[in-house]
Amino acid sequence: MFTHFTPAQHAVHYPADRRLYIGLRKEVWYIICLTVVIFFGAAWLQYLIQGLPADPSAKLLNNSKGSSGFPWWVVLCHWVNFFFLILLIRSGLSVLADHPRLYWNNSCRPGTEWLRFTPVNVPPGKLWTAKEDARYLSPMIGLPGYKHTVGVARHWHFISVPFFLLNGVVFIILLFLTDHWQRIVPVSWSIIPDAWSVFVYYATFNMPIEPNGYFHYNALQQLSYFAIVFLFAPLAMLSGMAMSPAIENRFHWLPKLFINRQGARSVHFLVMLGYLAFTLVHVFMVAATGLKRNMNHITLGTDDAADPMGMYFGGAILMFVIAFCFFAHWVSWRKPRFLQRLAAFINGNLWLHSINKLKPKSYFEKKDITPYFWSNGKIPESKVWNALAEGDFKDYKLKIGGLVEHQVELSLEDLKALAKEQNITMHHCIQGWSGIAEWGGIPIRKLVDLVKPHDSVQTVVFYSYGEGLYGGVYYDTHTLDNCLKPASILAWEMNYAPLPVQYGAPLRLRIENQLGYKLVKWIERIEFVESHTTVGKGYGGKNEDDEYFDLIANS
């Protein structure tokens, strides 16, 4: 796939173990098998006892209620939807591969997942990080594929989302401004038994009468299209929003629509499977019920069974989508900065002026603390940090400087004497896992009051003793405004005990409207600066510099 890795990138993105694995809990297999047996068994039982039901499609043959044909806006929205759906599915799979487990609980404890895409069992008695647990994904399947490319994958995903939603909104508006809505929206409960009758035909390998799709859909088609437009799309949007740290921390009721935050992630995946299954069945039926005529319907808006032009146009669109997938892969590796800047322009500005303004609200209680919390990141190899750790951080001094009136160095005891705030919050990792913990530490607002940053300061930089994925000092930046939001603290305590080494001792950052990679562990020093562009490579953090992550990480 014409990708050129540096040696460091090759070691990360192209690991020795590239096995593809799909593992479902046996209980899920039972549910799937039982569902299939019930529906198909009922269809066959009816067929064997009563024979085929009356075909409800027969009454549609000469009934022209509602609009006929496919106006230009239906054709356009259909193919735009297809294009962005392919990008969303492929990039979503790359995001999923970075934490290849799906749960219905916020703890994300290994072994409680209902579906996993890794053959690796978390080794007992060994520190196993979420980074290690990530899997390789072929770029033929995912965008951009490979391992640990979640930053680039998210850019493709979130660049596509606004256009996918805008296309849907335009379609729905035009649908109800015309009488074309009658083609999709059921107006009678008889649609349910009619759809079942059609299903009995398909399930028993009998073809029902196929009304000309230019004028009508059969009942099962109509229900399917209605579900895709009015059920799947809202579920995808709401479940995606429920995974946002900024939204979840302000509107705690939203994840409850899906049981919890991990439930939303699971539903998001199931919606993707639904879209994929619908697309495969849809394409098969288009081919099986008259390919030329059906392609003329949805490419030219005509009802000609002999003209091959619709197939040519459809083939050209398909070739364009395939070519764009290759182009997207090329952009991902040859022009990733362009992609990062484009995402910042579209989504960064959108989030900065919307969900980034939300202020976290306290919600979780002690009983909500999860029994498992993934560790992540490289434990520092710094001699300085190791020496401090050996002395239980008694000699640790937090250095705070930059554009401030008072530069200070504060020990843990100094920090504890200034102030303490305790919060029970959910951690949202960019990889997809979550965990709820209590954090105790000093509000950043207190430190701001102490050092008095200059009026020109817009950004706060947090440096770590740890390293980035490819080496080099780990750091990240936050707007001063986010540092002053509720529940923004430097924590020396986790779950009412001293902060463990693997979770960031002696200090770690908690800013609750941001994703986990922004919450720097093993903090060495803090600097107040005018802009993130003056630090590192100028993109706002080590992950932003090297892995093209988002500067504003609200979603």
Side-chain angles (χ1 to χ4, degrees):
M1 294 289 288
F2 47 81
T3 298
H4 298 282
F5 291 130
T6 66
Q9 288 176 324
H10 190 278
V12 169
H13 299 316
Y14 203 71
D17 183 0
R18 299 187 296 278
R19 289 174 293 167
L20 183 63
Y21 177 88
I22 300 176
L24 274 170
R25 291 178 69 92
K26 62 181 180 180
E27 295 89 346
V28 180
W29 279 117
Y30 294 156
I31 292 172
I32 293 173
C33 292
L34 185 62
T35 302
V36 170
V37 167
I38 289 175
F39 278 92
F40 282 84
W44 272 95
L45 192 63
Q46 178 177 337
Y47 173 57
L48 293 174
I49 295 175
Q50 300 179 351
L52 287 171
D55 191 340
S57 301
K59 61 187 178 184
L60 299 177
L61 294 179
N62 298 310
N63 182 358
S64 59
K65 180 182 178 182
S67 65
S68 62
F70 295 87
W72 65 268
W73 55 268
V74 171
V75 173
L76 181 62
C77 288
H78 171 272
W79 289 111
V80 170
N81 183 77
F82 173 71
F83 173 75
F84 285 111
L85 190 61
I86 293 298
L87 295 182
L88 286 167
I89 290 175
R90 296 187 71 237
S91 59
L93 290 173
S94 275
V95 174
L96 175 63
D98 226 53
H99 188 69
R101 304 172 188 266
L102 290 166
Y103 318 82
W104 294 105
N105 64 84
N106 283 326
S107 176
C108 300
R109 180 172 59 83
T112 64
E113 64 272 1
W114 66 271
L115 174 61
R116 63 187 175 110
F117 297 94
T118 172
V120 178
N121 291 312
V122 175
K126 178 184 182 296
L127 180 60
W128 182 258
T129 68
K131 278 279 192 182
E132 292 174 284
D133 202 57
R135 295 303 295 175
Y136 166 91
L137 183 65
S138 168
M140 297 299 293
I141 300 172
L143 174 64
Y146 300 110
K147 187 177 181 180
H148 288 321
T149 55
V150 64
V152 175
R154 279 170 54 87
H155 290 325
W156 282 114
H157 204 72
F158 287 118
I159 287 172
S160 301
V161 164
F163 297 103
F164 181 74
L165 292 178
L166 178 61
N167 182 66
V169 169
V170 169
F171 177 80
I172 290 173
I173 290 174
L174 292 175
L175 187 71
F176 287 104
L177 286 178
T178 67
D179 61 355
H180 200 81
W181 66 270
Q182 296 179 55
R183 300 284 302 275
I184 295 178
V185 180
V187 294
S188 169
W189 286 108
S190 65
I191 190 77
I192 304 296
D194 286 352
W196 173 256
S197 295
V198 175
F199 176 74
V200 171
Y201 276 82
Y202 289 131
T204 57
F205 308 110
N206 292 282
M207 288 296 288
I209 295 172
E210 287 292 340
N212 185 348
Y214 194 76
F215 300 98
H216 301 285
Y217 302 130
N218 69 40
L220 191 57
Q221 282 178 302
Q222 187 179 19
L223 268 187
S224 299
Y225 293 143
F226 178 80
I228 285 294
V229 174
F230 295 102
L231 178 62
F232 278 43
L235 276 177
M237 179 178 66
L238 290 173
S239 59
M241 291 170 61
M243 290 185 278
S244 159
I247 294 175
E248 188 278 333
N249 274 294
R250 182 60 181 83
F251 304 107
H252 297 291
W253 56 266
L254 182 57
K256 288 184 177 182
L257 297 178
F258 309 97
I259 302 176
N260 50 45
R261 195 265 187 197
Q262 288 301 318
R265 184 168 178 256
S266 291
V267 168
H268 207 64
F269 173 78
L270 291 172
V271 169
M272 183 275 292
L273 286 186
Y275 273 124
L276 192 58
F278 171 83
T279 301
L280 293 176
V281 173
H282 177 63
V283 170
F284 173 79
M285 293 305 298
V286 164
T289 59
L291 183 60
K292 286 183 180 179
R293 168 172 276 178
N294 288 330
M295 291 305 291
N296 283 331
H297 288 175
I298 203 59
T299 57
L300 304 178
T302 63
D303 187 33
D304 193 323
D307 188 357
M309 286 304 296
M311 291 179 58
Y312 298 152
F313 274 99
I317 293 171
L318 182 60
M319 292 304 297
F320 169 79
V321 173
I322 293 172
F324 190 89
C325 288
F326 279 91
F327 171 73
H329 180 87
W330 179 85
V331 169
S332 298
W333 295 105
R334 298 301 182 88
K335 302 292 182 182
R337 288 294 179 214
F338 166 77
L339 187 65
Q340 186 181 29
R341 293 189 188 105
L342 180 62
F345 176 75
I346 296 174
N347 296 302
N349 281 314
L350 180 63
W351 297 336
L352 186 65
H353 295 98
S354 57
I355 60 176
N356 192 62
K357 294 183 179 296
L358 299 176
K359 294 182 179 181
K361 290 178 64 177
S362 177
Y363 170 75
F364 295 107
E365 300 176 5
K366 190 173 182 178
K367 64 182 176 62
D368 300 312
I369 294 174
T370 52
Y372 187 85
F373 199 99
W374 282 86
S375 59
N376 219 356
K378 297 179 180 180
I379 291 181
E381 299 176 356
S382 160
K383 292 181 180 179
V384 175
W385 181 86
N386 277 287
L388 290 170
E390 288 177 6
D392 202 23
F393 300 105
K394 290 178 181 177
D395 296 325
Y396 170 75
K397 296 281 188 178
L398 173 66
K399 307 173 185 67
I400 306 177
L403 300 177
V404 297
E405 291 185 18
H406 307 294
Q407 299 195 23
V408 297
E409 290 189 12
L410 302 169
S411 68
L412 284 177
E413 292 305 315
D414 294 332
L415 292 169
K416 292 175 182 179
L418 284 172
K420 182 180 179 181
E421 178 181 312
Q422 291 175 288
N423 304 301
I424 300 176
T425 59
M426 178 181 289
H427 181 92
H428 298 255
C429 182
I430 191 174
Q431 293 180 271
W433 60 269
S434 60
I436 300 171
E438 179 268 347
W439 307 98
I442 185 169
I444 300 176
R445 180 182 296 274
K446 291 289 185 181
L447 296 178
V448 171
D449 293 340
L450 178 66
V451 300
K452 299 188 184 309
H454 297 173
D455 291 341
S456 61
V457 167
Q458 298 291 325
T459 301
V460 187
V461 190
F462 298 85
Y463 291 94
S464 174
Y465 284 106
E467 293 185 349
L469 186 62
Y470 307 125
V473 174
Y474 191 90
Y475 78 97
D476 220 309
T477 67
H478 291 269
T479 63
L480 181 59
D481 174 66
N482 272 343
C483 290
L484 297 177
K485 281 187 169 63
S488 295
I489 66 173
L490 289 180
W492 57 71
E493 176 182 285
M494 180 182 181
N495 294 338
Y496 308 100
L499 184 65
V501 163
Q502 67 266 33
Y503 296 113
L507 286 175
R508 72 164 297 157
L509 180 63
R510 298 299 310 177
I511 295 183
E512 301 304 337
N513 70 341
Q514 300 288 292
L515 290 172
Y517 70 89
K518 303 289 288 186
L519 312 186
V520 181
K521 296 185 285 290
W522 310 295
I523 291 177
E524 178 205 7
R525 58 193 170 94
I526 301 173
E527 284 189 1
F528 289 79
V529 299
E530 290 185 355
S531 169
H532 67 272
T533 59
T534 63
V535 186
K537 295 180 183 179
Y539 292 93
K542 188 62 175 172
N543 282 323
E544 293 89 327
D545 288 345
D546 295 350
E547 298 182 68
Y548 313 102
F549 280 22
D550 313 300
L551 173 64
I552 302 295
N554 293 132
S555 290

